Amino acid sequence: MAKRPKNLLVAQSGGPTAVINSSLVGVIDEARNWPEIGLVIGAERGIKGVLEEKLLDLYRESPATLQALRWTPSAALSTSRHKLQPGDLERIVDVFERYNIGYFCYIGGNDSMDTANRLGELAQAQGYGLQVMGIPKTVDNDLVETDHCPGYGSAARFVAATLRDAGLDTEAGAASTPVKFIEIMGRHAGWLAAATALAREGRPDAAPQLIYVPERPVTLATILSDVERVVKRLGYAVVAVSEGIRDPEGNFLAASESVDAFGHQQLGGVSVYLADQVTHVLGLKARFEKPDTMQRACTALISPVDAEEAYQVGRAAVRALREGYTAQMVNLIREPGPVYRVHTGLVPLEKVANRERLLPPEFMASPEEGATEAFLAYARPLIGPPLPIHARLERYPLARAYP
Amino acid sequence: MAKRPKNLLVAQSGGPTAVINSSLVGVIDEARNWPEIGLVIGAERGIKGVLEEKLLDLYRESPATLQALRWTPSAALSTSRHKLQPGDLERIVDVFERYNIGYFCYIGGNDSMDTANRLGELAQAQGYGLQVMGIPKTVDNDLVETDHCPGYGSAARFVAATLRDAGLDTEAGAASTPVKFIEIMGRHAGWLAAATALAREGRPDAAPQLIYVPERPVTLATILSDVERVVKRLGYAVVAVSEGIRDPEGNFLAASESVDAFGHQQLGGVSVYLADQVTHVLGLKARFEKPDTMQRACTALISPVDAEEAYQVGRAAVRALREGYTAQMVNLIREPGPVYRVHTGLVPLEKVANRERLLPPEFMASPEEGATEAFLAYARPLIGPPLPIHARLERYPLARAYP
């Protein structure tokens, strides 16, 4: 009698992205090709669903559902931010044994890579034949050992498009409200804020006129004088600001002042705070925009490049498991040359777990430059087709002495 | 010798929209058909550009620019919120005479309709042959005497798409952050907030689970208990809230508490305030999203229906001027029957000026219903093609005793 095939368990972890479901479908589609894989089982809410045995039979989903899921943002299995408790890993291995799980795919960020890695180590120590594979996803783009992370391209497309639109709107209404802050995701890393520089492609003076990232400490006073200078020059300023910008002492800018009636620090976030400061200190009317989770969930601005790559890393994870690999993360390797091309590879989980990649010096520029040409060349292909072309009037003045 | 043709002056006023430029191009394109119209002159920053004689020759713009402008959000001529000062109207008539302006098209909301009307009256009183025509635009959809306003359909498409995406994201992450507030434009009227109900088409339980509009007074306590009830039922709640919601005494909800270190009321707005209250009073983690001007300027979510209608009202304004009409606003009249069809008409400016249309009772529902079926039937055709279909897993549970 043939050996009973082992099942594959897949889960999604951390913040959703616009394309994390595409990776899930990649796993399911590829697993169907291999008779040595039994069922594909989905755990609801990440590792929590394993602990609670909330498990789904994903092979029963219809082809139509799976096809549409490739273009559906957010995490179809739901996610959690469950912190591992003592005994959790042992309990997970126990559940895995009972459900005959031989393969585990964890779609997530650097925390998840750590969980997957520890799980693989424990199973090995117990002599239980579990292969684990990490599938990268994060709009923060902060995983090491990969050219970029699935999820980032779509978020980058969203923020670039948003800044471009906001630039048009702010310029048109500059007579009444000349300053606008847009708060971009990123507590530690400025990858997403830097991507707003793509909004300026072809028009260097366009929005955002200033970009602040967590990697470059900055004071409120500097931001105020930067804004004032830009408004003096152009008549308006649109500012992209990472939620995690800090002063030179390492304190978050937004948390440093104003406490409400309950003694809570900070209502809103850094964009609320900065708009308020510009209004009251500089006397310039300022608005703020906080797209929040729209950055990771906007259907209309999914990057097709990103969606396809997310699908491919899912497929590659299953192929690697079948080839016997374990304790690896699938990564994206960019091929050299002028044409954008990537292929997938593998990197040991222990090299990725709990590490974070900040913007390297060659990508960082002054707030006014926002990002270097090298960064733009890096990020440009990830967002998919160029953003739509907007028209501007040539503005032919009528002679004063007309007619 | 033939009579020298009079020139047409066009200006854009108030907040930009995604399609206000489409109306501008409609004016230019139609004017070219009529030899009795000389130049088409654009005033920069609305009526301010007339006062300062910042005037542009729009016939010199290239066909490519004008074509692309039909799909470019924001106001290409720039706008202002200039309040008329004593003597302004007289000065404007003077400028008009010097530039041989016989026709004036003002693209704007109800303030602008008032300005256009007063200008027409003054010119008439002075025996100066000026014809004025109002072209409606506002994302607030609050002009009277028209089925709807150009600009609203695109904003409605944006907010509906955004709430649908936010619903997916919040549901997936409900284990960590179950509540989300999204702040929708509308100081007085709830048209745009009500349009978020279109996000639920085909799935009544989907986001937004609660919608608050300025027309229905509400207290903080009611909102908190509504949110608590929805979270108990579904595990999460996504709430669309008009920026202008008020308590039964008529006070804005957001402005009623918390004063910062400078003594300024209110940082942020109602969504910041409500997210803070839910977190600290209910103990449920809450986020807020403030799309702000994205609602009126998102290129990716322009409604093609809206863009076309905006273009047609621009053209209709010029045709009406040529037929000798003055002191009218072009309106949109919906034809009866199951198929959506509109045509343009005319309504005297004095009937529109300074009046505002709130949500009528037949469109208003409880916060949980959000909007009536009659409203959905009204708003559905305005947003263009249906929103993209999202997939949901059917969620086939694996037997506990597997295998």
Side-chain angles (χ1 to χ4, degrees), chain A residues 49-70:
Chain A
V50 180
L51 290 166
E52 297 167 0
E53 297 183 45
K54 295 213 167 130
L55 303 175
L56 305 174
D57 181 350
L58 295 178
Y59 274 166
R60 293 185 60 195
E61 300 291 337
S62 73
T65 296
L66 295 179
Q67 181 54 34
L69 213 54
R70 288 182 63 177

Side-chain angles (χ1 to χ4, degrees), chain A residues 32-347:
Chain A
R32 272 193 226 272
N33 294 335
W34 309 115
E36 50 272 70
I37 295 173
L39 297 175
V40 172
I41 297 171
E44 296 198 78
R45 301 200 173 161
I47 217 65
K48 227 174 162 206
V50 180
L51 290 166
E52 297 167 0
E53 297 183 45
K54 295 213 167 130
L55 303 175
L56 305 174
D57 181 350
L58 295 178
Y59 274 166
R60 293 185 60 195
E61 300 291 337
S62 73
T65 296
L66 295 179
Q67 181 54 34
L69 213 54
R70 288 182 63 177
W71 298 94
T72 296
S74 181
L77 290 171
S78 295
T79 77
S80 73
R81 295 189 183 276
H82 180 76
K83 291 244 174 281
L84 285 178
Q85 305 298 314
D88 275 357
L89 285 175
E90 290 75 6
R91 179 149 161 62
I92 291 166
V93 173
D94 175 60
V95 174
F96 276 14
E97 285 202 83
R98 278 193 288 118
Y99 287 89
N100 189 35
I101 310 273
Y103 313 102
F104 174 48
C105 290
Y106 209 17
I107 314 174
N110 47 30
D111 290 1
S112 312
M113 297 308 144
D114 179 55
T115 303
N117 195 37
R118 289 164 62 190
L119 200 56
E121 284 172 354
L122 180 71
Q124 200 171 31
Q126 299 191 353
Y128 173 63
L130 178 71
Q131 289 172 249
V132 304
M133 197 58 58
I135 298 174
K137 83 72 234 187
T138 168
V139 297
D140 291 334
N141 204 38
D142 61 353
L143 289 168
V144 298
E145 301 282 345
T146 183
D147 180 75
H148 58 279
C149 304
Y152 175 63
S154 297
R157 183 172 186 81
F158 176 88
V159 297
T162 295
L163 267 287
R164 188 174 276 200
D165 290 338
L168 287 174
D169 185 276
T170 306
E171 188 180 358
S176 50
T177 308
V179 181
K180 169 130 211 177
F181 289 94
I182 302 189
E183 185 164 329
I184 306 295
M185 285 182 158
R187 292 300 271 180
H188 304 287
W191 292 97
L192 204 48
T196 64
L198 292 167
R200 294 191 300 229
E201 296 274 50
R203 244 195 93 227
D205 243 4
Q209 281 81 26
L210 295 164
I211 300 174
Y212 299 99
V213 295
E215 289 89 341
R216 281 176 80 108
V218 67
T219 62
L220 173 63
T222 301
I223 295 177
L224 292 176
S225 82
D226 287 352
V227 168
E228 198 167 32
R229 193 175 57 251
V230 171
V231 172
K232 208 163 274 174
R233 180 164 65 84
L234 289 179
Y236 73 101
V238 177
V239 186
V241 55
S242 286
E243 56 186 341
I245 56 167
R246 292 177 187 79
D247 66 21
E249 284 75 49
N251 302 309
F252 287 116
L253 244 72
S256 61
E257 312 228 351
S258 96
V259 165
D260 76 6
F262 301 89
H264 310 132
Q265 263 193 333
Q266 174 195 1
L267 271 182
V270 68
S271 60
V272 183
Y273 172 69
L274 291 175
D276 187 66
Q277 292 293 314
V278 163
T279 302
H280 294 112
V281 178
L282 296 185
L284 294 169
K285 225 174 136 187
R287 310 180 72 115
F288 75 95
E289 192 159 295
K290 188 168 177 173
D292 200 45
T293 58
M294 296 167 74
Q295 294 165 82
R296 64 191 192 197
C298 180
T299 308
L301 288 161
I302 290 176
S303 158
V305 171
D306 189 29
E308 178 61 23
E309 289 176 355
Y311 181 71
Q312 293 302 340
V313 294
R315 297 193 67 152
V318 175
R319 281 198 307 270
L321 287 168
R322 183 175 170 264
E323 289 162 14
Y325 288 100
T326 186
Q328 307 287 313
M329 181 186 85
V330 178
N331 63 356
L332 289 167
I333 299 162
R334 190 183 301 223
E335 295 171 16
V339 176
Y340 176 73
R341 213 175 273 131
V342 290
H343 61 267
T344 58
L346 294 174
V347 54

Side-chain angles (χ1 to χ4, degrees), chain B residues 123-185:
Chain B
Q124 199 171 33
Q126 298 190 352
Y128 173 64
L130 179 70
Q131 289 171 250
V132 304
M133 196 60 56
I135 298 174
K137 86 68 233 190
T138 168
V139 297
D140 292 333
N141 203 40
D142 62 352
L143 289 169
V144 298
E145 301 281 344
T146 183
D147 180 75
H148 58 278
C149 304
Y152 175 63
S154 296
R157 183 173 187 79
F158 176 87
V159 297
T162 295
L163 266 287
R164 186 173 277 201
D165 290 338
L168 288 173
D169 185 276
T170 306
E171 189 181 358
S176 52
T177 308
V179 181
K180 171 129 210 179
F181 290 94
I182 302 189
E183 185 164 328
I184 306 295
M185 284 182 161

Side-chain angles (χ1 to χ4, degrees), chain A residues 44 57 61 74 79 165 168-169 172 180 287 289-290 292-294 296 299 390 394-396 398, chain B residues 44 55 57 61 74 79 165 168-169 172 180 287 289-290 292-294 296 299 390 394-396:
Chain A
E44 296 198 78
D57 181 350
E61 300 291 337
S74 181
T79 77
D165 290 338
L168 287 174
D169 185 276
K180 169 130 211 177
R287 310 180 72 115
E289 192 159 295
K290 188 168 177 173
D292 200 45
T293 58
M294 296 167 74
R296 64 191 192 197
T299 308
H390 289 130
E394 293 293 333
R395 291 184 137 70
Y396 299 99
L398 208 67
Chain B
E44 295 198 78
L55 304 175
D57 181 349
E61 300 292 335
S74 180
T79 77
D165 290 338
L168 288 173
D169 185 276
K180 171 129 210 179
R287 311 181 71 116
E289 193 159 294
K290 188 166 178 173
D292 200 46
T293 57
M294 295 167 74
R296 64 190 193 198
T299 307
H390 288 129
E394 293 292 333
R395 291 182 136 71
Y396 299 100

